[in-house]
């Protein structure tokens, strides 16, 4: 259940309104449905297993609902992780401060917070790149 796709690399762009985009090297790993579902189930079971001993203490319902809610929330985050952004390296379009992201769920659009100027640029992937590499 842990099979996942082949890592691919691309040149994306960091874009910020009003500034010239800068190139950003990205490495991305597509995730299969099996990886996402298996991980989601494992996450849910793990969280509920950790939370369930607390249910013997009052307020019982709060622990129960909290455990189930947290498990569902984290499981869902795993389930929707269709691509993992293994790394993204580039520079802020505004101030040129370098950024380097590692191992995070790729979002669309993916935010690139800058430690230099505290503006947030956006990672712009080439059109059709994800569709080309998407697993089921
Ligand atoms: Zn900046």
């Amino acid at each position: 259940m842990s099979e996942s796709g082949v890592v691919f690399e691309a040149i994306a762009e960091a874009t910020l309104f009003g500034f010239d985009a800068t190139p950003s090297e990205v490495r991305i790993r597509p995730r299969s449905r099996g990886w996402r579902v298996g991980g989601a189930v494992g996450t849910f079971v793990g969280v509920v297993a950790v939370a369930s001993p607390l249910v013997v203490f009052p307020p019982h319902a709060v622990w129960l609902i909290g455990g189930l809610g947290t498990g569902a929330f984290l499981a869902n985050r795993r389930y929707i992780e269709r691509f993992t952004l293994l790394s993204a390296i580039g520079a802020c379009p505004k101030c040129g401060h370098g950024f380097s992201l590692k191992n995070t769920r790729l979002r669309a659009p993916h935010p690139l917070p800058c430690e230099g100027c505290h503006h947030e640029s956006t990672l712009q992937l080439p059109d059709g790149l994800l569709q080309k590499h998407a697993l089921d």
Side-chain angles (χ1 to χ4, degrees), residues 12-69:
E13 287 185 327
T15 61
L16 183 64
F17 185 76
F19 297 90
D20 291 334
T22 55
S24 167
E25 266 177 60
V26 296
R27 288 173 64 232
I28 296 170
R29 185 191 291 278
R31 298 299 190 177
S32 67
R33 182 178 300 269
W35 181 87
R36 292 183 293 127
V37 171
V41 170
T43 300
F44 184 76
V45 170
V47 171
V48 171
V50 166
S52 56
L54 294 171
V55 172
V56 298
F57 303 107
H60 314 284
V62 172
W63 298 123
L64 182 66
I65 292 164
L68 292 175

Side-chain angles (χ1 to χ4, degrees), residues 61-115:
V62 172
W63 298 123
L64 182 66
I65 292 164
L68 292 175
T70 305
F73 172 77
L74 294 175
N76 182 58
R77 279 209 338 197
R78 175 67 178 260
Y79 182 68
I80 63 176
E81 182 169 335
R82 303 205 55 195
F83 296 91
T84 301
L85 185 59
L86 297 178
S87 67
I89 299 167
C92 172
K94 181 166 189 279
C95 70
H97 195 275
F99 63 81
S100 167
L101 300 182
K102 278 202 183 72
N103 261 324
T104 180
R105 174 169 58 88
L106 180 64
R107 291 189 269 161
H110 198 89
L112 298 168
C114 175
E115 290 170 16

